[in-house]
């Protein structure tokens, strides 16, 4: 059973301080059900990865309990389960609690983190996995496996290799894993008692009360024991009761009805930034930057060394400039930023020499007959190594209760594409201009209509 946690926060080796485990050593810990090892497959200033390897001993698990053969032969030694949560709580207890003697501020700072779980049983499938992690802001990627490669008809297994990306504190990441891994595993053959309520509430503090799947999380975490679930939900509901001072604030938020769009926008930006980092693109040009949503996040992240925004609209650029001016940055950090007024359907020398271009919710604003001109400007003329492009998925529109049937999401949208239309366009463009392309869903995914935003990452 393997969990790795990687960061590109610089210097990345500070992960060793946060975990209280030295990057140059391999350490071993004895647990009641086996042995845990912590080591670092890589420890460079730009990127550092810590690994927690669990060697669960199936004999220890059942010793003295008059076990039958099938209890020795189970998936428990190989998959992430509540044993991983126990290991996190024991081996990374200080990091889980958000404490760090040497770097107390870093422990409280959101940093780019990627957790990878090599084998995670997801009872409820990929959509349930996404339902758990995406509302917390994670970009989720999941690879599923056939039950048996020899017999494709048997279908897919419930085991996934899962990667979770987020800019978040290490303590929050560990808390989410601690609670949600056993929830996904949903193993019923495990003893729970009243202490588990306390653990759930402690590690769920600050996020579980507002999580849209909190009832399912609570029920599964407490192994579907009705009394425990009822008590835990009652305590969560108490926490959720707003105190009078905050009622006004929350009303204002409700009236603005912006909670959902904001969280989708945030998820989109997180996904874009994760894709940029994965491709190690430090010089980024944001084509159709609008009022600077992405530029703002890029500027606040010192990983990015050159950040340029392009838009045809003067007014949008003015607003972007005003918004960015309000950021508190050191003076030399500003030198990375540049705003350019230009149209994306005409060649412009200033679009060249970037590691990556981002095109976020822009192509649907272009007239379809001008799309091929834009393709040439982007793929042929500017030709960055990486292109991250997002657009709405029209199939998802039926899920927006406030959007009349058949309407597009914005009055300036010239078109919105289905998943097939977008992927056909992306595959054609990649082939024509010598790129490879991968597609990702952004936002909570619906089984029938997919996710609200679709993203393509082109590389050459
Ligand atoms: N990427 C931003 C803004 C998306 S709105 C965000 O995600 O928040 C689309 C933006 O594309 C608008 O700001 C619009 O002015 C710009 N745009 C539309 N057509 C354009 C063109 N031909 N050239 C440059 N910018 C264009």
């Amino acid at each position: 059973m393997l969990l790795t946690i990687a960061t590109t926060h610089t210097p990345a080796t500070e992960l060793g301080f946060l975990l209280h485990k030295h990057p140059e050593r391999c350490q071993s810990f004895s647990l009641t059900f086996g042995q845990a090892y912590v080591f670092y497959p890589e420890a460079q200033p730009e990127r550092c990865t810590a690994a927690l390897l669990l060697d669960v001993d199936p004999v220890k698990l059942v010793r003295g309990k008059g076990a039958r053969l099938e209890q020795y032969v189970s998936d428990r030694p190989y998959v992430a389960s509540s044993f991983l949560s126990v290991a996190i709580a024991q081996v990374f207890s200080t990091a889980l609690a958000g404490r760090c003697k040497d770097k107390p501020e870093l422990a409280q700072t959101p940093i780019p983190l990627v957790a990878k779980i090599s084998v995670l049983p997801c009872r409820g499938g990929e959509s349930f996995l996404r339902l758990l992690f995406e509302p917390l802001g994670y970009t989720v990627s999941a690879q599923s496996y056939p039950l048996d490669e020899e017999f494709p008809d048997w279908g897919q297994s419930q085991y996934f290799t899962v990667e979770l990306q987020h800019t978040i504190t290490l303590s929050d990441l560990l808390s989410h894993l601690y609670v949600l891994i056993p929830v996904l595993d949903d193993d019923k053959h495990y003893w729970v008692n009243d202490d588990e309520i306390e653990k759930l509430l402690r590690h769920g503090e600050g996020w579980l009360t507002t999580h849209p799947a909190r009832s399912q999380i609570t029920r599964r975490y407490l192994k579907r024991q009705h009394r425990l679930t009822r008590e835990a939900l009652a305590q969560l509901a108490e926490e959720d009761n707003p105190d009078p001072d905050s009622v006004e604030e929350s009303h204002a938020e409700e009236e603005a009805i912006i909670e959902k769009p904001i969280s989708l926008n945030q998820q989109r930006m997180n996904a874009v930034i994760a894709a940029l980092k994965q491709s190690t693109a430090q010089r980024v040009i944001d084509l159709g930057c609008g009022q600077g949503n992405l530029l703002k996040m890029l500027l606040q992240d010192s990983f990015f060394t050159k950040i340029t925004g392009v838009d045809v609209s003067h007014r949008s650029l003015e607003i972007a400039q005003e918004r960015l001016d309000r950021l508190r940055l050191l003076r030399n950090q500003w030198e990375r930023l540049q705003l350019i007024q230009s149209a994306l359907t005409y060649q412009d020398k200033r679009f060249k020499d970037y590691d990556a271009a981002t095109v976020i919710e822009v192509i649907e604003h272009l007239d379809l007959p001008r799309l091929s001109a834009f393709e040439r400007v982007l793929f042929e003329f500017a030709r960055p190594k990486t292109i991250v492009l997002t657009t709405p998925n029209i199939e998802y529109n039926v899920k927006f209760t406030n959007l009349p049937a058949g309407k597009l999401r914005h009055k300036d949208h010239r078109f919105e594409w289905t998943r097939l239309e977008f992927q056909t366009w992306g595959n054609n463009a990649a082939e024509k201009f010598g790129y490879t392309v991968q597609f990702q869903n952004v936002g909570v995914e619906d089984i029938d209509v997919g996710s609200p935003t679709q993203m393509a990452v082109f590389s050459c």
Side-chain angles (χ1 to χ4, degrees):
M1 208 309 302
L2 182 67
L3 163 73
T4 61
I5 297 175
T7 186
T8 48
H9 157 83
T10 42
T13 42
E14 287 187 342
L15 186 61
F17 287 112
L18 288 178
L19 290 170
H20 295 81
K21 303 284 173 285
H22 200 288
E24 279 167 21
R25 260 181 260 142
C26 172
Q27 296 182 51
S28 169
F29 306 84
S30 265
L31 306 172
T32 50
F33 47 83
Q35 202 68 16
Y37 302 89
V38 177
F39 60 96
Y40 290 73
E42 59 177 343
Q44 305 296 332
E46 315 78 55
R47 191 181 161 85
C48 181
T49 302
L52 170 62
L53 178 74
L54 265 193
D55 191 5
V56 174
D57 180 347
V59 178
K60 268 192 183 176
L61 289 183
V62 291
R63 186 173 291 156
K65 294 182 186 154
R68 297 183 308 274
L69 178 64
E70 64 264 29
Q71 287 173 281
Y72 289 101
V73 187
S74 73
D75 67 356
R76 299 294 90 188
Y78 313 107
V79 306
S81 68
S82 48
F83 293 122
L84 178 59
S85 300
V86 175
I88 287 175
Q90 296 198 359
V91 175
F92 296 143
S93 59
T94 324
L96 177 64
R99 291 194 307 271
C100 180
K101 194 164 47 70
D102 294 302
K103 306 264 169 198
E105 279 143 41
L106 188 59
Q108 303 302 322
T109 309
I111 56 173
L113 290 170
V114 181
K116 186 168 178 185
I117 304 154
S118 44
V119 188
L120 180 59
C122 298
R123 290 185 176 81
E126 186 176 339
S127 54
F128 187 59
L129 168 76
R130 290 184 183 277
L131 185 73
L132 293 186
F133 283 98
E134 286 182 343
L136 297 169
Y138 289 89
T139 302
V140 177
S141 63
Q143 189 192 345
S144 70
Y145 298 96
L147 261 177
D148 191 320
E149 283 167 6
E150 304 258 316
F151 301 97
D153 292 352
W154 292 1
Q156 297 297 103
S157 75
Q158 65 199 3
Y159 301 108
F160 288 80
T161 299
V162 172
E163 213 175 75
L164 304 162
Q165 302 187 359
H166 198 358
T167 300
I168 191 173
T169 63
L170 179 63
S171 143
D172 281 346
L173 170 71
L174 293 174
S175 303
H176 296 152
L177 294 175
Y178 179 94
V179 172
L180 297 178
I181 285 174
V183 165
L184 277 160
D185 178 32
D186 202 22
D187 177 19
K188 291 178 209 69
H189 311 288
Y190 189 68
W191 170 247
V192 287
N193 58 23
D194 290 28
D195 289 353
E196 297 300 319
I197 298 187
E198 186 275 321
K199 284 186 204 154
L200 175 67
L201 296 178
R202 180 152 47 92
H203 296 298
E205 199 184 323
W207 60 273
L208 186 55
T209 47
T210 52
H211 196 294
R214 70 175 177 177
S215 305
Q216 283 154 293
I217 293 171
T218 307
R219 198 169 60 244
R220 282 189 173 210
Y221 185 89
L222 297 171
K223 312 294 171 210
R224 302 176 190 272
Q225 299 211 6
H226 298 310
R227 179 184 64 80
L228 295 180
T229 305
R230 259 199 322 275
E231 277 176 30
L233 284 174
Q235 290 191 46
L236 281 172
E238 268 166 37
E239 278 180 35
D240 208 15
N241 271 350
D243 74 74
D245 290 342
S246 65
V247 167
E248 181 49 42
E249 201 180 301
S250 66
H251 270 183
E253 276 174 28
E254 277 166 32
E255 278 164 15
I257 331 168
I258 51 171
E259 197 197 351
K260 282 211 159 150
I262 280 183
S263 91
L264 176 60
N265 186 48
Q266 195 58 45
Q267 289 180 46
R268 195 186 292 130
M269 297 299 160
N270 290 342
V272 171
I273 288 186
L276 289 172
K277 289 197 168 169
Q278 202 161 11
S279 70
T280 67
Q282 293 186 294
R283 296 171 306 155
V284 179
I285 184 162
D286 187 24
L287 301 173
C289 63
Q291 303 185 356
N293 284 331
L294 180 65
L295 299 175
K296 194 170 150 197
M297 287 187 66
L298 295 174
L299 259 179
Q300 285 169 308
D301 190 330
S302 56
F303 176 82
F304 299 101
T305 54
K306 186 172 176 189
I307 301 156
T308 298
V310 179
D311 205 289
V312 75
S313 154
H314 266 299
R315 183 65 198 131
S316 290
L317 289 173
E318 256 172 36
I319 297 173
Q321 184 75 61
E322 277 165 23
R323 289 178 68 204
L324 297 173
D325 281 344
R326 276 186 240 130
L327 292 178
R328 290 165 168 232
L329 296 180
L330 296 174
R331 184 170 307 168
N332 61 359
Q333 298 284 298
W334 289 109
E335 290 160 12
R336 301 177 296 153
L337 175 73
Q338 164 179 199
L339 296 179
I340 299 175
Q341 197 262 329
S342 190
L344 303 179
T345 43
Y346 296 92
Q347 294 185 5
D348 188 323
K349 281 203 293 289
R350 295 172 296 177
F351 297 172
K352 282 183 183 266
D353 289 319
Y354 289 88
D355 302 321
T358 47
V359 190
I360 309 308
E361 307 289 293
V362 174
I363 55 167
E364 65 277 15
H365 292 262
L366 304 178
D367 286 325
L368 267 174
R370 302 293 294 145
L371 198 56
S372 57
F374 168 65
E375 284 169 23
R376 290 197 60 195
V377 168
L378 176 63
F379 293 97
E380 193 177 293
F381 185 76
R383 205 165 178 77
K385 270 179 63 190
T386 302
I387 297 167
V388 183
L389 186 146
T390 72
T391 195
N393 162 20
I394 193 172
E395 293 168 83
Y396 195 90
N397 287 1
V398 292
K399 294 267 153 199
F400 292 118
T401 45
N402 51 356
L403 185 70
K407 274 252 172 352
L408 301 184
R409 291 185 205 177
H410 190 287
K411 59 181 185 324
D412 189 47
H413 285 181
R414 310 299 155 90
F415 59 89
E416 284 173 2
W417 278 334
T418 62
R419 285 167 290 176
L420 182 63
E421 285 168 327
F422 179 53
Q423 293 184 13
T424 306
W425 173 79
N427 284 324
N428 285 341
E431 193 182 332
K432 188 160 160 199
F433 297 102
Y435 278 74
T436 56
V437 62
Q438 287 193 319
F439 299 96
Q440 267 182 48
N441 297 312
V442 180
V444 178
E445 204 179 339
D446 178 89
I447 282 185
D448 296 318
V449 297
S451 61
T453 298
Q454 34 191 354
M455 179 163 106
V457 182
F458 299 87
S459 320
C460 76

